[in-house]
Amino acid sequence: MVKQISILGSTGSVGRQTLDVIKDFPEKFRVLALTGNKNVDLLAQQVKSFQPELAVLTDPEAARELSRLLVGQKTRVLAGEEGLLAAATYPGTDLLVTAVVGFAGLKPTLAAIDAGIDIALANKETLVAAGRIVMEKARARKVNIIPVDSEHSAIFQCLQGSGPGQLQKIILTASGGPFRNCSRDELAGVTPEQALQHPNWSMGAKITIDSATMMNKGLEVLEAHWLFSLPLTAIEVLVHPQSIVHSLVEFKDGSLLAQLGPPDMRFPILYALTYPERWSNNFSKLDLVGRQLGFAAPDLEVFPCLAYAYEAGEKGGTLPAVVNAANEVAVAAFLKRRIGFLDIPGVIRQVMDGHRLQKDPDLDAIFSADSWAREEAQRIIGTISGIS
Ligand code: NAD
Ligand code: MG
């Protein structure tokens, strides 16, 4: 049977790698809808290669340009949030890959769940900001949420075949990023170029900076908390610089299971696309001969973002959405050189401290908290950079 796939964020790192996987199985997958933000040329190329029924650019001017480029093609072009929602709920979709970056992924993910479409979830910010709402809706609609994030895919794979009540805890591995061995003082002068050099993975800019601050691991702790219905006390982080062991689970009897592979997102992407099956592929496989694998505890003094994420998860309510939003704004400001690397945790801390937490927020409360945190983060960044 041909599986019909749509991809939100097909022009990004995960989106491009998803199409890379799909192109190796032309008999088994068909692409229905693709979306990007502004990258006209890349989306036009993807449309020509994969012939989807719908192509969306959220930027209206870019969408107009795409329509001009695709004159005579059968692919329909839409723009804006309306287009993104149309792609998320495109009729006939068997699996939607959510590879948009940031909070922008929340609405379309919820729309897809409402439409009863299974999700291959890369967009972790959605679960960080609104995990309870997303998971409750998915359970009610009997929608599967299959992780794409390599650590969560590893845990998901390790848990296959284990019965209820057997799990003790999960251990998320973290590469530690490019500044694993740095002191706090050394981090002060870090430039965007240095922070964008990830030692093992090639990813989009936002997640690469999140890896450098270790906020990525904090977001992943919250992602795992919702995906696997685990208390935060049952989720640990272990620094593993080689990114070969993608994560581990510990059972009640003390046995550990781990999933290993090269640091190549195509493995977890393919598993999400084919689950519960496993398909042969031509990706380079892992050779363990001569490999040294190391493990260490994370340094929460040097990387406070990880501690902030745990704190937000423990306090709950609107705080995780606030931390996520403050982080998105701070990372964007760092990439534009408006603030320094250490200002990223600084801004997040100040926004957290100024937030009046709301317990059990509905979706409106989460959107309000997100907007408030973005404005507050911008205001604080203005005082740091001298431009408001
Ligand atoms: P990216 O920046 O490379 O791509 C993001 C995609 O989203 C692009 O297609 C972009 O056009 C689109 N986009 C950006 N802003 C948008 C908006 N406001 N509205 C609609 N579309 C928008 O990001 P990425 O590295 O591919 O990451 C995507 C998601 O997957 C993130 O949540 C990230 O944390 C997660 N993830 C990525 C990797 C990786 O290897 N890159 C691994 C695990 C998880
Ligand atoms: Mg990850």
Side-chain angles (χ1 to χ4, degrees):
M1 206 185 84
V2 174
K3 204 163 186 175
Q4 313 222 75
I5 310 278
S6 294
I7 308 171
L8 304 183
S10 66
T11 57
S13 163
V14 171
R16 292 193 308 267
Q17 293 181 83
T18 304
L19 286 173
D20 214 34
V21 170
I22 286 176
K23 80 166 179 357
D24 289 345
F25 302 95
E27 255 90 83
K28 297 193 169 177
F29 295 123
R30 201 171 111 61
V31 177
L32 289 187
L34 295 177
T35 85
N37 194 20
K38 291 187 191 163
N39 194 336
V40 181
D41 292 339
L42 180 55
L43 193 57
Q45 258 178 44
Q46 293 179 343
V47 167
K48 284 179 185 148
S49 305
F50 293 92
Q51 301 286 315
E53 293 177 14
L54 176 65
V56 176
L57 284 170
T58 38
D59 181 87
E61 180 46 44
R64 274 193 289 277
E65 176 70 26
L66 183 69
S67 297
R68 282 193 286 272
L69 281 180
L70 295 181
V71 167
Q73 303 257 343
K74 67 173 174 47
T75 303
R76 202 153 63 99
V77 176
L78 289 175
E81 189 179 88
E82 198 191 338
L84 194 59
L85 293 174
T89 56
Y90 199 79
T93 304
D94 296 311
L95 186 71
L96 175 72
V97 181
T98 61
V100 165
V101 59
F103 187 76
L106 175 57
K107 262 194 207 169
T109 305
L110 288 171
I113 296 172
D114 275 334
I117 295 170
D118 284 344
I119 311 274
L121 183 127
N123 175 239
K124 64 191 83 181
E125 294 89 347
T126 281
L127 285 186
V128 171
R132 183 186 303 280
I133 294 172
V134 171
M135 295 310 287
E136 279 176 3
K137 209 184 249 295
R139 272 190 285 274
R141 290 291 284 125
K142 297 194 167 41
V143 159
N144 290 313
I145 302 209
I146 304 157
V148 168
D149 213 346
S150 56
E151 296 77 0
H152 304 72
S153 175
I155 291 161
F156 187 65
Q157 294 183 52
C158 290
L159 289 176
Q160 296 303 313
S162 79
Q166 296 179 336
L167 185 65
Q168 182 69 26
K169 66 179 180 195
I170 62 175
I171 303 163
L172 296 175
T173 52
S175 70
F179 310 128
R180 182 168 51 87
N181 293 319
C182 291
S183 66
R184 236 183 119 67
D185 287 349
E186 286 169 318
L187 291 184
V190 155
T191 64
E193 289 73 19
Q194 290 166 326
L196 284 169
Q197 292 301 318
H198 195 282
N200 305 334
W201 298 95
S202 160
M203 310 180 285
K206 192 256 178 187
I207 183 177
T208 306
I209 303 301
D210 285 348
S211 297
T213 62
M214 285 198 78
M215 179 52 98
N216 183 49
K217 213 47 54 179
L219 300 177
E220 291 186 354
V221 166
L222 299 171
E223 181 186 12
H225 167 60
W226 293 113
L227 269 178
F228 304 111
S229 304
L230 288 172
L232 292 160
T233 48
I235 305 172
E236 283 179 12
V237 170
L238 188 62
V239 174
H240 165 51
Q242 296 80 16
S243 299
I244 295 292
V245 177
H246 294 307
S247 277
L248 311 90
V249 304
E250 186 182 308
F251 293 105
K252 291 258 160 75
D253 61 359
S255 267
L256 292 166
L257 285 193
Q259 188 261 340
L260 283 71
D264 178 345
M265 280 306 291
R266 292 176 306 168
F267 286 95
I269 290 170
L270 177 64
Y271 188 70
L273 295 182
T274 64
Y275 168 82
E277 296 173 13
R278 288 188 182 273
W279 292 4
S280 308
N281 58 69
N282 59 11
F283 314 154
S284 294
K285 305 300 184 304
L286 180 62
D287 181 2
L288 279 173
V289 174
R291 295 295 308 232
Q292 302 282 326
L293 303 181
F295 301 94
D299 186 336
L300 299 181
E301 303 279 313
V302 181
F303 300 102
C305 288
L306 179 55
Y308 297 166
Y310 269 104
E311 180 187 333
E314 271 149 22
K315 292 186 174 154
T318 41
L319 197 55
V322 161
V323 166
N324 177 65
N327 180 57
E328 285 190 29
V329 172
V331 168
F334 169 69
L335 284 170
K336 287 189 189 134
R337 297 171 209 280
R338 290 188 64 202
I339 59 173
F341 188 74
L342 288 179
D343 291 325
I344 300 174
V347 168
I348 296 167
R349 182 73 257 172
Q350 279 195 60
V351 175
M352 284 173 84
D353 290 343
H355 180 58
R356 214 175 304 134
L357 186 150
Q358 189 179 332
K359 282 270 168 211
D360 293 323
D362 60 11
L363 203 54
D364 285 345
I366 285 172
F367 273 92
S368 306
D370 173 85
S371 303
W372 173 85
R374 279 169 205 274
E375 277 171 34
E376 186 61 6
Q378 289 295 7
R379 188 189 64 72
I380 295 163
I381 288 163
T383 64
I384 297 170
S385 63
I387 320 156
S388 44

